[in-house]
């Protein structure tokens, strides 16, 4: 079994920055892609960013140029650095990991951006 624990969420003013972390533990033999998703109240969960095992990245259109995803393979950890935050970035942010064909989710961390 794989466990994901997110941290780093909180309340920030518009224009500010936050860094989210997600540490994976448990029966991890190999990690393929890691990603961040978010879900705002009343909206569907949406992709924020992904990072492949080789470091290739992909971003949702709404966060391009403001957010950066990175990973530390030695620590089984993925990060999301968020800059120039906007009120519309307010959501619960979820970490996602794929390993040996199975997907895993963290419990989520709240990010609230005040305007």
């Amino acid at each position: 079994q794989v466990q994901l624990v997110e941290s780093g969420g909180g309340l920030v003013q518009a224009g500010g920055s936050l860094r989210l972390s997600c540490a994976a533990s448990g029966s991890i033999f190999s990690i393929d892609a890691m990603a961040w998703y978010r879900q705002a109240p009343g909206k569907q969960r949406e992709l924020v960013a992904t990072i492949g095992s080789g470091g290739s990245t992909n971003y949702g259109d709404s966060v391009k140029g403001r957010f950066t995803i990175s990973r530390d393979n030695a620590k089984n950890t993925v990060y999301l650095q968020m800059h120039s935050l906007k009120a519309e970035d307010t959501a619960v942010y979820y970490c996602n990991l794929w390993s040996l064909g199975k997907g895993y989710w963290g419990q989520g961390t709240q990010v609230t951006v005040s305007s």
Side-chain angles (χ1 to χ4, degrees), residues 11-95:
L11 174 65
V12 64
Q13 288 188 332
S17 299
L18 278 177
R19 188 193 194 208
L20 305 183
S21 299
C22 172
S25 62
S27 302
I28 302 171
F29 299 100
S30 68
I31 297 177
D32 302 319
M34 301 184 80
W36 288 95
Y37 286 76
R38 68 186 181 186
Q39 188 166 18
K43 295 187 177 181
Q44 290 188 329
R45 191 171 296 190
E46 65 171 349
L47 174 69
V48 176
T50 65
I51 184 166
S53 58
S56 60
T57 58
N58 184 50
Y59 295 92
D61 288 341
S62 62
V63 306
K64 284 180 181 177
R66 300 188 298 122
F67 292 10
T68 301
I69 189 171
S70 60
R71 61 192 283 177
D72 184 332
N73 292 329
K75 296 181 178 179
N76 290 333
T77 299
V78 63
Y79 305 96
L80 185 69
Q81 179 67 56
M82 305 183 291
H83 293 298
S84 303
L85 283 160
K86 305 175 182 179
E88 51 263 44
D89 294 319
T90 295
V92 178
Y93 284 69
Y94 296 92
C95 176

